[in-house]
Amino acid sequence: MLTLVVFLLCTASCVPASAKGGAAGPRLNNNQLYKFSYTTEVLVDRARGSKEGSTGYRISSDVDVNLVWRDPSSKDDQLIQLVISNVRIDPASHRSEKKNILHGSTAESVLGKTKLAALTKPFLVHLKNGKTKAFYSYWSEPATVKNLKRGLASLLQVQLRTGKVIENDVSGRCTVDYKAVKGQVTRTKILDTCKTAETGFTTHSQVLGVSRKSNSVTVFTLEDGFIGSAVAEEMHTLAVNARRSAAAKVLSRQTLKLVRTEAGPLEAAGKDVAGVVKSIDAKLAAVGIVAEKVKSQCKGCPSLFEHWQAQQKQLEPASLSKATAPRSFLALIQSIRKASKDDILKLLAFKTENVERLTHHLCVYLLLVDFRPQVVDAVTSSQTAASLDAMLEFLNFTDAKSFVLQERFLYACGFSSHPNERMLQALLAVLKVKKQILEGPDSTKVESEVQMYLLALKNSLLPEAIPIFTKYAESEVGAYNTISLTALQRYDVSLMTDEVKKTVNRVYHQNRRIYEKNVRAAAADVILSSNPSYVEVKNLLLSIGNLPYEMNKYMLSKIQDIVRFQLPASKVIQQAMKDMISHNYDRFAKVGSSSAYSGFMAQSADVTSTYSLDILYSGSGVLRRSNMNIYGASKGAMLHGLQVAIEAQGLESLIAATPDEGEEDLESFAGMSALLFDVQLRPVTFFKGYSDLMAKMFSMSGEPMNVVKGLILLTDHSEVIQLQSGLKASAEFQGGLAIDISGGMEVSLWYRESKTSVNNSGRTTVATENGALHHARISLLAASGDETGFREQCHRF
């Protein structure tokens, strides 16, 4: 009996309010007209505010609401009509007449007569249990008008009981949390759950990416069973992870307040909603409550070619190390993203070889400079369908003369902030190329071709390539060993199987054959960065003292640097160093010129930047390997920003020195390779072979050889934020880098010395567009899609 009573009590408490006779949502009274005042505003500002204050605008109107039809069997199944009238548009914050672009304007002059007429046409909303089941308007109405009406209709959606539900409104399909107390309901929309058609794109790197925090709260008060007031506020804050001061804030408010009620129209007769709607106006249709996309066109804005003419001076090769270069680069990308394929092709084909009269009033004197590599950087980085089609049509991969442009295009693709499937398919035919590079190293005996395939696999980071790298790590060719071991170091620790670790340890300890010092040093790096065991570390420590002279000092510096800088392997190293056999004066007092050191470049709440510099010499004092790395870390994510490595071998014969063990027959060689933002660049060879060395010694100009030079789009974030009011906010963040990395090596027989140099120069720019107001104007205020009031002024020569 007690069990039955408990069950009945539970059942009674779980019955919906509507089933017990209570209202599930707000109810309108028959034959009554509800007259509301309605305002919606959107403001944009920096995240921490600015001296000028927020900027934005406010739309105010009157709204009449009345019941059209109610299902006789359910009081919570209602069809209501809404009519917007007396529309006004004003600045949301105080502005002087000079800065107020809305001064002296009216709603008709801003929206246009057609849009204003559409906005004031009646529309219908089908509410069932407080939820919007259908939104009825006219297909022919502009999307901006329908979105504004959807925003008002969404404000009427409310349930009168506490709980979480999934709702459809103008923002999309979202999870909503209701909290109801006597006479008041608070609706919190969990914006991260909203699913919309306009998703935008962002940078795949978390360190260079953008984070967003959003909230949306609406407070309802009830009056005589219906809404007395509804106040909604939502805020979106977006910031660049690596530099949170580069941030923007969008604030949107809606206020609906009941002014009075009066006698209204009679309720319509009908069996169902569809029949009633048809009887009112056959042209009314259920157009969906979720917001539509809004297309806009820029009238009066400069063409792509005109924009290029204004920016080209800043993109000269000699100007790439200046701050103006990345700024102009980002501006050009924005212009390209709005351009057609034909316009982009015209820009790519334009040659600055002579003076041309462009128009009857505009004469531009152009320098004899080839700007096309910088144009290729910008066009490829824009990552639109039109730009990709233009590039593929423009480039001729069978023409050796255009090698520089081909390389810039492929590098720009490698640095793509958000590569899509279409780009990969157009470039590669992905599965075919994947198969080709996996089979490539074993398909040829030509050393340069094998290196090419190994470098391609190194960039791909395919898990299937790990067995290939494991095999070539024990090859008889030193270049294969080095590429394979440095590639293994880039993989996640979880992929370092016992077989891989055994192979790398065999290389370091030379269990099967003698290896060059730089190969063993690379193997040690892999061991120490792959969650080494106590035994692995102890064996490394025991090897110190039995290694070649300079490698003893290098390994000692490496171990000490890991412990000092508290790198991941430091704990197990400290544990192994408690053993006095492996940690004693004889081993830890080795001298030499080789070194390994890590340090901080910058530390802030946003990002921590570290560097490491490893230098390994041969026993005769000649540089064997120099490796400089720069890392960036933000919120647990790591980015390998830069690596510049210089290698030299076989130079002992120039100074009559004795080579180290295993390096007696090495061919004279010096070269440099770079890794930029996790992308391995094409290695550069200073000289290879004794005859080449002699020729270079007599022809060297002292000028460094270029490794990479160009413009890179680092941060690329764009999204459209659908506000509950029906307005849209757009947010765009871009970070550009102009970089020039070059290096050289000079050998002097007279002084019996070699000198290497690496030059790194570059400028970074982060651009934030307060696009919320900008895009809102495109979506709503621009009757003809004209952005003239918000765009930059066009300058002509």
Side-chain angles (χ1 to χ4, degrees), residues 342-384:
D342 291 339
D343 288 339
I344 297 172
L345 279 172
K346 289 178 184 177
L347 178 62
L348 288 166
F350 179 70
K351 294 184 179 180
T352 58
E353 294 178 350
N354 50 34
V355 178
E356 296 185 19
R357 184 170 295 276
L358 299 180
T359 65
H360 67 281
H361 68 281
L362 176 61
C363 186
V364 182
Y365 294 91
L366 302 172
L367 299 175
L368 299 178
V369 177
D370 189 0
F371 290 92
R372 287 181 300 171
Q374 287 75 260
V375 175
V376 168
D377 290 339
V379 172
T380 310
S381 298
S382 65
Q383 300 175 80
T384 64

Side-chain angles (χ1 to χ4, degrees), residues 35-216:
K35 301 189 76 68
F36 288 90
S37 64
Y38 175 66
T39 62
T40 181
E41 61 184 13
V42 58
L43 298 107
V44 179
D45 201 353
R46 295 178 180 175
R48 297 180 180 178
S50 58
K51 293 181 180 179
E52 296 80 10
S54 301
T55 182
Y57 60 90
R58 179 186 302 110
I59 304 173
S60 306
S61 68
D62 298 333
V63 177
D64 292 347
V65 182
N66 67 278
L67 180 68
V68 174
W69 173 88
R70 191 194 307 275
D71 188 341
S73 62
S74 174
K75 293 185 178 181
D76 286 307
D77 191 353
Q78 308 165 97
L79 181 66
I80 64 175
Q81 176 177 274
L82 296 92
V83 182
I84 298 173
S85 60
N86 192 22
V87 181
R88 303 166 307 276
I89 301 178
D90 305 290
S93 56
H94 177 71
R95 284 286 185 273
S96 63
E97 290 186 8
K98 186 177 180 180
K99 294 184 178 181
N100 180 10
I101 63 171
L102 296 174
H103 177 70
S105 62
T106 63
E108 184 174 321
S109 65
V110 174
L111 291 173
K113 190 174 183 179
T114 302
K115 284 188 177 180
L116 181 60
L119 185 61
T120 54
K121 277 188 177 182
F123 60 98
L124 303 175
V125 177
H126 180 198
L127 285 178
K128 188 172 183 180
N129 297 325
K131 310 297 182 192
T132 303
K133 303 300 292 183
F135 168 78
Y136 295 91
S137 191
Y138 301 91
W139 284 114
S140 59
E141 287 182 341
T144 52
V145 170
K146 284 184 282 188
N147 286 345
L148 274 176
K149 291 181 176 180
R150 290 180 173 108
L152 176 57
S154 298
L155 198 58
L156 300 180
Q157 184 165 252
V158 58
Q159 71 177 37
L160 304 184
R161 60 182 182 273
T162 298
K164 276 189 179 182
V165 293
I166 296 176
E167 292 182 350
N168 294 322
D169 67 6
V170 68
S171 302
R173 187 170 179 82
C174 313
T175 300
V176 182
D177 187 13
Y178 283 97
K179 291 185 178 179
V181 295
K182 188 175 182 180
Q184 181 174 299
V185 178
T186 301
R187 179 178 69 189
T188 302
K189 189 183 298 183
I190 305 173
L191 294 173
D192 292 340
T193 66
C194 294
K195 296 180 180 178
T196 60
E198 297 181 273
T199 55
F201 54 80
T202 192
T203 305
H204 60 80
S205 170
Q206 184 177 333
V207 176
L208 299 173
V210 174
S211 57
R212 172 163 66 99
K213 292 183 178 180
S214 304
N215 60 73
S216 173

Side-chain angles (χ1 to χ4, degrees), residues 383-402:
Q383 300 175 80
T384 64
S387 65
L388 177 60
D389 291 341
M391 284 304 312
L392 294 176
E393 185 173 324
F394 170 72
L395 290 175
N396 181 5
F397 284 92
T398 62
D399 182 9
K401 294 181 180 179
S402 62

Side-chain angles (χ1 to χ4, degrees), residues 516-557:
E516 304 164 29
K517 289 191 303 299
N518 61 321
V519 173
R520 298 184 69 185
D525 291 340
V526 178
I527 294 170
L528 293 171
S529 63
S530 302
N531 192 21
S533 66
Y534 174 84
V535 173
E536 286 178 308
V537 171
K538 186 173 181 180
N539 285 336
L540 286 178
L541 293 175
L542 290 172
S543 71
I544 299 175
N546 301 313
L547 303 171
Y549 177 75
E550 282 292 341
M551 193 172 176
N552 274 322
K553 181 61 169 63
Y554 174 81
M555 287 302 300
L556 176 61
S557 296

Side-chain angles (χ1 to χ4, degrees), residues 486 525 612-615 625-629 643-646:
T486 54
D525 291 340
S612 66
L613 178 61
D614 298 354
I615 302 177
R625 187 187 78 163
S626 171
N627 197 356
M628 189 269 288
N629 292 277
Q643 180 187 80
V644 179
I646 293 180

Side-chain angles (χ1 to χ4, degrees), residues 219-238:
V219 178
F220 299 88
T221 61
L222 304 177
E223 187 173 318
D224 192 23
F226 194 55
I227 297 172
S229 67
V231 179
E233 181 172 299
E234 64 179 304
M235 185 166 63
H236 305 266
T237 304
L238 301 97

